[in-house]
Amino acid sequence: MNIYDIKSPDDIKHCSIPELEDLCVQIREFLIDSVSKTGGHLSSNLGIVELSVAMHYVFSTPQDKFLFDVGHQSYVHKILTGRVSQFPTLRQYKGLAGFQKRNESEHDAWEAGHSSTSLSGALGMAIARDLRHEDFEVVPVIGDGALSGGMAMEALNQIGALNSKMVIIFNDNNMSISKNVGAMDEAFTRLRTSRPYNNLKEDLKGALSGTKTGSAVLKSMRSVKNAVKANVVDTSIFGEFNLDYIGPVDGHDLRTLIKVLHNAKNHDGPIVVHVMTKKGKGYSFAEEDKEGNWHGVSQFDPQSGQTLAKMPAGHLSWSEVISKTLIDLAQQDERIVGITPAMIGGSKLRDFFNEFPERAFDCGIAEEHAMTFAAGLATSGIRPFISVYSSFLQRAYDQINHDVARMDLPVVIGIDRCGLVGEDGETHHGVFDITMLRSIPNMILSQPKDAIEAQNLMYTAFMQSHPFTIRYPRGNTPYQKLKHYTPLEIGSWTSWQMDTYEVIIITYGPDVDRIISKAKVNQLPVRVVNARFFKPIDTMMLEEICAQKKPVIIYESDMLAGGLSSAILEYVNDHHLATEFIRLGIRDHYVTHGSLPQLRKLEHLDINSLCELILDLIKEKHHAN
């Protein structure tokens, strides 16, 4: 069987075990080669090859429903459902998505980009099936990292109570993006290393190898399952939720996986199949990775494992700028602590964790808890900094509103990966946080245009006694460490202008310097305003701008509804200030995946489109005169 000959999962159902094992080798080789060219999620997909093959061998999509938690590990599923020829377009504009996508294939029953959603979605599908008297299997696949999410726990609670038939595959690789943390991970570690566990693992293997499929296997499996439940599981989460359990199963042993899944399929009610896999399986660089560096990768050399993306000299990622400033401030103020929900590597907080191990807290995949934990620290004189990707911050809206802002607590929130993020697409674009937070009282919202302003905003944030957000994008910026910090006036904007100007542009973040650079090169008669605070806004400068009666472009790379332009128009309307505004930003739709230049052009937010608009406004003005 050649992977390029697979048009649907039916094509593998008549293969022998040796043929399936050969297919797994091909898939791993293909994944390494393909992802090295496009970038994407590598380790998680290498770890789930045999499991995905076994699932499609036993179950039948699209009738049966597969829900991959988060969805970034669905590459093998895409190969087995006839999409291998599209992999050169992976994560590119109008190409194959990096996650399950319902409009991409009938085999994609669910789509997500955030963790811990699969069990709730699966229960909904199972109950809908039962209400409609239909007959199909519901198979969510959830990892040990995602299982620590509160939403997964809520779903398990109801799954155990409703007893609707489903096969829950617990993909246990002892890793999420980076190493898991917390009491639940410790419980799973005890389960993996316990004597009953290892004895029962051999019993399970013997039961499967010595019995044919059918009632005899089910009887043998039930005896093993009952022994597990009596000796191991009642001390873990599954027994507490009254869920039946089969496992542990070697996630890279195809023969065993297929037999276990066949029998789980015949089980009445919900059952957990505990599968042990190795993240990055088959590629030494990914297998040995403990920091999450091979979780999501850019283009790389498959032979050396070296990335092909090079950092420009004198640049750091925005995350590193924030992290280095946090370390410097924490050296001066022992009250400062750092918090992350499972993103030590992504948020570049590793150095902070190494230098201040007693003041650094990884809460696991639990944004809600992390935010209220920060609020609790702030009530007791500690100065918490919490770094959260903008896309994941959405999960903590209630905690920011109810627990942080309502009590007006001095929590500094670093909103990483704000704005359009590119290839990960609509589940990961960080374009909603300004809209989400601007209506909440007591909040201060900001974004720096460069590394100097970022450092000064961090310094300013820790001088305040109110909730303070600093958003920063994916990507790099020129960096030089400040010797002395300068506090910034809350709500203040700055501006730059040509000697004479006819159009005013209000924008924020790195776009400020991009537009200034373009204006200098093309001698555009513009004034560029750096609106570094979204809340409060600089009303004095805004009133001065309105008094000039010049065309004003508000240029924002986030959602227009509720964003910077909304704040400006509200103030202008309430204070009866008349001027002409043109709003550029993302309108009422989700933005697809693709490169940042492609997406900006698609949304008419590229600098060339802005320049054309400026020239058109100038021509119109001259023509009118």
Side-chain angles (χ1 to χ4, degrees), residues 61-83:
T61 62
Q63 180 181 2
D64 295 332
K65 314 301 180 186
F66 291 172
L67 297 84
F68 292 94
D69 205 279
V70 183
H72 59 245
Q73 75 283 48
S74 61
Y75 293 7
V76 186
H77 164 76
K78 293 186 183 229
I79 291 171
L80 297 173
T81 52
R83 286 174 269 181

Side-chain angles (χ1 to χ4, degrees), residues 444-564:
I444 298 171
L445 312 182
S446 70
Q447 181 173 347
K449 74 178 184 70
D450 55 28
I452 293 174
E453 206 161 64
Q455 294 172 79
N456 285 328
L457 275 172
M458 283 285 285
Y459 176 70
T460 304
F462 283 104
M463 294 178 64
Q464 299 298 311
S465 57
H466 306 288
F468 199 115
T469 69
I470 305 172
R471 63 196 310 266
Y472 39 98
R474 182 183 180 187
N476 312 315
T477 185
Y479 172 77
Q480 185 172 358
K481 185 181 183 303
L482 292 178
K483 294 181 179 179
H484 303 287
Y485 298 113
T486 302
L488 304 180
E489 180 183 353
I490 302 301
S492 64
W493 296 349
T494 63
S495 74
W496 170 95
Q497 65 192 53
M498 298 290 281
D499 292 337
T500 60
Y501 61 91
E502 300 183 51
V503 177
I504 301 169
I505 304 164
I506 303 176
T507 189
Y508 52 84
D511 284 329
V512 173
D513 285 340
R514 292 190 190 112
I515 296 170
I516 291 173
S517 177
K518 191 74 171 179
K520 289 178 177 178
V521 170
N522 292 276
Q523 291 296 297
L524 295 173
V526 297
R527 176 184 178 185
V528 182
V529 175
N530 171 24
R532 60 191 179 188
F533 286 95
F534 311 105
K535 183 180 181 182
I537 60 176
D538 192 332
T539 57
M540 289 183 62
M541 184 177 290
L542 183 56
E543 290 183 10
E544 176 259 317
I545 288 170
C546 291
Q548 296 185 44
K549 307 299 182 184
K550 295 179 184 290
V552 179
I553 299 171
I554 306 171
Y555 180 91
E556 47 191 322
S557 55
D558 297 279
M559 299 303 292
L560 279 175
L564 173 65

Side-chain angles (χ1 to χ4, degrees), residues 40 104 137 180 272 327 361:
E104 186 178 284
E137 304 299 328
N180 295 326
V272 175
I327 291 172
F361 304 93

Side-chain angles (χ1 to χ4, degrees), residues 150-151 365-373 395-396 399 403:
M151 187 175 176
I365 302 176
E367 291 83 5
E368 305 96 321
H369 157 65
M371 193 63 64
T372 299
F373 170 55
R395 301 191 136 193
Q399 289 69 30
D403 302 331

Side-chain angles (χ1 to χ4, degrees), residues 38 87-96 423 593-595 598:
T38 63
F87 266 76
T89 71
L90 180 69
R91 303 168 74 243
Q92 297 175 29
Y93 180 54
K94 293 188 176 181
L96 203 65
E423 290 82 1
H593 58 277
S595 70
Q598 285 173 316

